Amino acid sequence: MQKTYSNPIYPYRKSADQEAQRPVHHPVIIIGAGPCGMAAALDLAKQGQASVILDDNNTVSVGSRAICFSKRTLEIMDRYGCAQPMVEKGVTWQKGKVFFKQEQVYEFDLLPESGHKLPAFINLQQYYFEEYMVNQIAKEPLIDLRWMHKLVELDSSAEGNQLKVETEDGVYALSCDYLLVADGANSKIRTELGLESKGQVFQDRFLIADVVMKADFPTERWFWFDPEFHPNQSVLLHKQADDVWRIDFQLGWDADPEEEKQEAKIRPRIEAMLGKDVEFELEWASVYTFQCRKMDDFIHNRVIFMGDAAHQVSPFGARGANGGVQSVENLAWKLARVLKGQAPATLIDSYNEERQHGAAENILNSTRATDFITPKNDISRAFRDETLRLAKHYPFARSLVNSGRLSMPCDYQHSSLITKSSALNTGFDAGIAPGFVCLDAPIGINGEDGWLLEQLGNRFVLLYNGEGIDNDELKTLSSISDDLVLLDSRELEDKEGMLAERYCMSGGQGYLIRPDQYVAAKFEQLSREQINSALQRALGYQSAQENP
Amino acid sequence: MSKLITENHFSDADAFYAALTDAHRELSTVDSERLNARLILLLANHIGDKQVLLEALDIAAQLEQ
């Protein structure tokens, strides 16, 4: 069916490891070259850590699957060096319409805030997203990506992992300190280790139809509740690259997935929706059910689960791939520092702590959207329908309409790695609070235009306002750690005043920013002792202590 | 601490009660459910405060009381 995209074929290559007399050891092996597995390898490479990715296939995603990528995900991709082709190819959108039965209820404009390098959202087929990551990986000497190398046996213990890997040249053995598992929602490794992902299965089926049409629809997200062309169900229309439109039909639990996948069955549905005169070609179709679930612990011995294998959500709100990539970036900097001996092994546990919180937030949001879209009983349906009717005339009701709350990065303000401002008795409350992700700002540096986030990430950064700080003090601060870079905000040209507006630093104030661009602590008056203590806490050395 | 007002707060309690029952008088059960849903949504937004709303929901859910 697919015409606008042909999947690249990445050939199997024999690795020197297959000739070795004894199993070759790697610090990190990653299972699965999807968005999360590849993100993990790219992030580790940015932190100077080599890894091997094993994938049992030879191409990127067949069919589109995830389509909506959020600003935070793009910021992470930008740190890896592959956001640019994604933004160029992707469709940037900000407007949407909501319909109930035959009427438009309201329209919205996300009105993106200015002063960010990357857009609020792009729509891009998952295969492009993955292809650009594969291209970036090819430029990274620290990443060894092995297509058609299939993990067939895993022996995991508290000390590490022994693997058997199958290829067309036979089976070979490997060992690793840490195994990162991103083998998808139905993770075989999770099952084989006897672990579970627990939660809610929704009794509903959805048809995804990606169609190519030249029709003159605007680049907007259109969502129908109970439309006349598809009664009692919901429908979503959203544009992707190459004039491919994603149409998502809710089918109900009784639908027969095999039958619904047939073009003869899909065509009349789309004609009823778009009108008989609209020309389209069916690009790809799939019928899916979904679950909102997660593992109780993402870490088992030295096996670490990521992406859908660790936590899975319904598609409403674009939280699957986005939440997955955000989990990966939380893990990578920690794992790299543990492997380099710069942090205790227990720092990895904070991946579970912080991302259980992120996963729970994503599951909560997508469950709420699902419950609004598919009311569970008659009275829920009455509330849903009346909310929609009121929304046409009364703005308040629009805040209740929920066809997916689009993915925003979660905060880690209650994490044991974060130094709360109350602990430092600081009155520096303006700007970004500890545990929140840094905001971008347009800046000039060394006479060139750039962005603040390009200066942050991959190592700890002390972003401070150096006014009134003498050279001796600076020397003391810069000797705190090799992993800490000092960045005086006065060296950055605040081109639109956004740096001052978003960070609010006066002389002597500063932020300690983690390698994942989250604020670890903020300081009213820079002091070596406070900065060092916050850094130690962020590295997991003090997590056992009380964090008031 | 409780925030929901449970002492009389109506400017005209009888008039409200009459208006409420009048509004439902001619309606089928289904339409009454719809009216109630609309009314709850409108009033809930007017109140806005999450704690007040949850306290009211909590008392309302105690059907045996």
Side-chain angles (χ1 to χ4, degrees):
Chain A
M1 268 193 287
Q2 245 175 332
K3 295 204 176 65
T4 62
Y5 185 80
S6 42
N7 276 62
I9 302 298
Y10 303 115
Y12 160 76
R13 284 201 186 88
K14 196 169 186 177
S15 159
D17 290 358
Q18 289 164 261
E19 307 288 352
Q21 297 300 306
R22 299 163 51 108
V24 175
H25 183 82
H26 297 275
V28 182
I29 295 178
I30 299 165
I31 306 300
C36 291
M38 289 196 283
L42 284 164
D43 213 321
L44 287 168
K46 287 289 160 204
Q47 328 273 338
Q49 177 60 54
S51 65
V52 175
I53 310 178
L54 306 177
D55 193 279
D56 60 4
N57 207 334
N58 63 356
T59 187
V60 293
S61 170
V62 175
S64 171
R65 306 203 287 183
I67 66 164
C68 187
F69 297 95
S70 72
K71 175 157 74 68
R72 183 60 201 153
T73 299
L74 295 171
E75 285 168 354
I76 295 167
M77 291 299 137
D78 201 38
R79 190 160 56 75
Y80 303 161
C82 49
Q84 196 190 339
M86 293 171 178
V87 174
E88 281 172 7
K89 184 74 188 174
V91 174
T92 302
W93 63 277
Q94 62 189 71
K95 288 186 178 172
K97 290 191 173 116
V98 174
F99 302 85
F100 178 48
K101 299 191 187 283
Q102 70 275 33
E103 286 191 325
Q104 181 178 322
V105 178
Y106 68 98
E107 55 184 275
F108 61 85
D109 188 336
L110 297 172
L111 280 179
E113 201 179 58
S114 67
H116 295 267
K117 179 178 181 181
L118 293 154
F121 292 96
I122 62 164
N123 283 359
L124 179 68
Q125 292 91 320
Q126 182 169 334
Y127 38 77
Y128 282 119
F129 188 85
E130 291 183 11
E131 185 182 331
Y132 301 144
M133 294 180 88
V134 175
N135 294 346
Q136 185 63 29
I137 282 175
K139 297 176 201 159
E140 292 286 357
L142 290 175
I143 304 174
D144 179 352
L145 171 48
R146 301 180 188 174
W147 302 101
M148 306 298 279
H149 286 241
K150 182 182 182 181
L151 176 71
V152 288
E153 210 180 297
L154 169 64
D155 181 10
S156 104
S157 76
E159 284 72 47
N161 303 287
Q162 312 293 324
L163 286 64
K164 292 261 166 57
V165 180
E166 190 179 72
T167 70
E168 62 186 50
D169 288 320
V171 174
Y172 68 104
L174 290 172
S175 67
C176 64
D177 295 320
Y178 289 92
L179 185 73
L180 311 191
V181 177
D183 62 348
N186 299 314
S187 171
K188 278 192 193 138
I189 298 173
R190 190 181 68 214
T191 307
E192 270 160 32
L193 290 174
L195 304 170
E196 265 188 288
S197 184
K198 289 182 269 184
Q200 202 177 349
V201 183
F202 290 87
Q203 303 270 307
D204 209 343
R205 293 185 202 280
F206 287 80
L207 165 69
I208 294 180
D210 279 353
V211 303
V212 186
M213 65 178 173
K214 301 283 182 196
D216 204 14
F217 281 107
T219 305
E220 298 176 349
R221 180 185 197 264
W222 288 9
F223 198 98
W224 285 264
F225 292 96
D226 196 7
E228 286 187 335
F229 62 81
H230 192 57
N232 297 316
Q233 309 284 11
S234 66
V235 178
L236 171 69
L237 175 71
H238 219 176
K239 192 180 187 184
Q240 308 173 71
D242 301 334
D243 293 316
V244 173
W245 295 78
R246 161 66 52 87
I247 308 176
D248 209 331
F249 291 97
Q250 186 185 14
L251 297 176
W253 186 238
D254 296 332
D256 177 346
E258 284 314 309
E259 193 186 322
E260 295 292 346
K261 258 187 266 186
Q262 306 303 318
E263 179 154 2
K265 184 89 184 177
I266 297 172
R267 212 155 245 289
R269 290 199 187 284
I270 298 175
E271 282 173 358
M273 174 182 177
L274 302 173
K276 285 218 179 241
D277 47 341
V278 174
E279 280 182 42
F280 65 88
E281 278 183 71
L282 191 60
E283 177 85 351
W284 177 71
S286 166
V287 173
Y288 66 95
T289 58
F290 56 77
Q291 309 191 27
C292 288
R293 57 177 181 169
K294 62 180 176 61
M295 300 174 71
D296 288 336
D297 192 336
F298 302 147
I299 304 167
H300 172 82
N301 288 328
R302 289 187 172 195
V303 180
I304 305 174
F305 289 87
M306 315 185 299
D308 280 355
H311 40 66
Q312 192 186 355
V313 292
S314 81
F316 308 111
R319 287 163 185 272
N322 288 306
V325 167
Q326 284 158 40
S327 282
V328 166
E329 80 150 355
N330 185 282
L331 171 65
W333 69 268
K334 296 170 181 174
L335 181 57
R337 279 156 187 79
V338 168
L339 286 166
K340 283 183 220 158
Q342 296 169 337
T346 51
L347 177 62
I348 302 210
D349 299 339
S350 72
Y351 160 70
N352 188 57
E353 176 195 342
E354 294 187 331
R355 290 315 297 176
Q356 284 287 345
H357 165 67
E361 189 173 294
N362 286 330
I363 287 173
L364 177 71
N365 275 289
S366 68
T367 301
R368 284 175 174 173
T370 307
D371 286 342
F372 189 87
I373 291 164
T374 311
K376 296 292 175 285
N377 58 28
D378 290 343
I379 194 71
S380 299
R381 177 170 288 266
F383 274 114
R384 202 275 311 262
D385 289 355
E386 296 316 318
T387 297
L388 287 163
R389 288 195 179 96
L390 289 168
K392 186 166 182 206
H393 303 284
Y394 304 100
F396 88 87
R398 292 167 202 165
S399 60
L400 299 172
V401 174
N402 192 345
S403 64
R405 300 276 180 248
L406 293 165
S407 169
M408 300 291 283
C410 80
D411 70 74
Y412 305 132
Q413 57 175 321
H414 300 299
S415 160
S416 58
L417 303 187
I418 300 297
T419 301
K420 291 189 176 182
S421 287
S422 56
L424 301 178
N425 288 320
T426 157
F428 178 23
D429 292 329
I432 299 164
F436 286 76
V437 74
C438 285
L439 299 174
D440 209 354
I443 54 157
I445 185 163
N446 305 325
E448 288 190 33
D449 286 350
W451 295 90
L452 178 65
L453 287 187
E454 295 169 347
Q455 309 303 317
L456 309 176
N458 303 330
R459 68 274 195 256
F460 284 91
V461 175
L462 184 72
L463 176 67
Y464 67 102
N465 180 335
E467 200 179 311
I469 298 182
D470 64 37
N471 281 341
D472 284 350
E473 273 179 276
L474 262 186
K475 252 189 206 153
T476 334
L477 298 180
S478 61
S479 67
I480 291 176
S481 162
D482 292 342
D483 198 17
L484 178 68
V485 171
L486 269 53
L487 181 61
D488 188 339
S489 62
R490 294 176 307 164
E491 287 167 21
L492 306 174
E493 188 194 340
D494 194 1
K495 298 190 78 83
E496 295 172 31
M498 300 276 184
L499 179 59
E501 191 182 307
R502 291 176 181 162
Y503 289 81
C504 306
M505 286 177 288
S506 42
Q509 294 184 329
Y511 291 82
L512 177 65
I513 297 164
R514 307 198 314 192
D516 59 0
Q517 301 175 334
Y518 271 77
V519 174
K522 56 200 287 194
F523 309 99
E524 167 104 78
Q525 186 63 50
L526 298 178
S527 94
R528 185 191 158 92
E529 191 193 344
Q530 283 191 354
I531 295 166
N532 191 44
S533 158
L535 181 65
Q536 297 301 310
R537 177 178 291 280
L539 287 168
Y541 282 110
Q542 302 175 14
S543 60
Q545 280 181 25
E546 196 187 341
N547 192 359
Chain B
M1 208 182 68
S2 168
K3 281 176 87 179
L4 180 74
I5 301 169
T6 51
E7 300 299 323
N8 177 35
H9 188 54
F10 287 111
S11 58
D12 187 340
D14 288 347
F16 166 72
Y17 198 83
L20 180 66
T21 49
D22 280 351
H24 281 284
R25 186 149 318 190
E26 305 289 323
L27 297 184
S28 64
T29 306
V30 168
D31 284 349
S32 268
E33 273 185 1
R34 289 185 49 198
L35 187 151
N36 278 343
R38 296 166 72 86
L39 187 63
I40 289 167
L41 293 167
L42 284 158
L43 295 178
N45 176 63
H46 185 81
I47 294 164
D49 188 289
K50 181 174 152 187
Q51 190 189 329
V52 175
L53 293 170
L54 293 183
E55 285 176 28
L57 257 177
D58 187 48
I59 294 174
Q62 294 169 25
L63 296 179
E64 74 285 358
Q65 217 181 60

